[in-house]
Amino acid sequence: MAVQNGGSLKKGVSMTSKKAVIQLLLFCGAIGLSSCAGKPPAATVSQVSQAELGVQQASKSKAPDYASLELYTAREQLDAAKEAMHKKDYTQARRLAERALVNAQLAETKAEAEQTRRAAAELRQSIEALRSEAEKPASRSR
């Protein structure tokens, strides 16, 4: 009988250790999944970083002077994207970051266009002034 008890004891230890191993594996798996779920997707982090860089770049250009509304909108969308990241709403964060980047690029492009338009207007005025000066001596010599 002692042998049977010893055999069942081994069986009991074996079953208990299998359950412990399974529980340990399940626990480790759950921790692993929760740590993955806690990290934002790399694409979202990248999009928010690109938007932040775009807003900074637009802020350093002439956008504050010529496209302040677009730049303001980009900043607001970037702040909202960061808030969505904080709330772990990564889909919304990515969308807002994409919009922020587009608005920052729009602000920068509008500023460049306005700067170019003003330079062209100044150039036209200079050309007209030179034409006027060139025509004065010609009309005097007649």
Side-chain angles (χ1 to χ4, degrees):
M1 249 176 112
V3 176
Q4 280 184 334
N5 284 344
S8 65
L9 182 62
K10 283 184 181 178
K11 209 179 222 182
V13 170
S14 175
M15 289 297 283
T16 306
S17 64
K18 282 183 183 178
K19 283 182 182 177
V21 169
I22 290 171
Q23 287 176 345
L24 180 64
L25 289 174
L26 288 173
F27 179 72
C28 289
I31 288 178
L33 287 175
S34 69
S35 69
C36 289
K39 292 181 183 178
T44 303
V45 172
S46 175
Q47 191 65 46
V48 171
S49 296
Q50 287 177 355
E52 191 161 13
L53 186 62
V55 169
Q56 287 175 358
Q57 188 173 337
S59 296
K60 291 177 184 175
S61 72
K62 294 291 185 178
D65 300 329
Y66 300 121
S68 59
L69 178 62
E70 290 80 3
L71 184 57
Y72 174 80
T73 302
R75 286 178 179 148
E76 289 291 310
Q77 289 169 332
L78 178 60
D79 289 343
K82 289 178 181 179
E83 182 63 29
M85 285 285 285
H86 181 70
K87 292 179 179 177
K88 298 182 191 281
D89 187 354
Y90 302 125
T91 302
Q92 182 69 4
R94 191 181 71 252
R95 287 181 186 148
L96 287 164
E98 288 169 354
R99 290 179 188 159
L101 179 59
V102 168
N103 277 306
Q105 291 170 339
L106 175 63
E108 197 170 1
T109 301
K110 279 184 83 171
E112 288 172 5
E114 181 60 23
Q115 206 171 4
T116 301
R117 187 192 67 74
R118 289 183 182 200
E122 287 177 18
L123 187 58
R124 267 189 241 111
Q125 285 179 339
S126 296
I127 290 171
E128 288 301 318
L130 287 171
R131 278 189 185 148
S132 294
E133 288 296 316
E135 289 175 359
K136 282 182 185 177
S139 59
R140 287 184 189 161
S141 63
R142 288 184 193 175

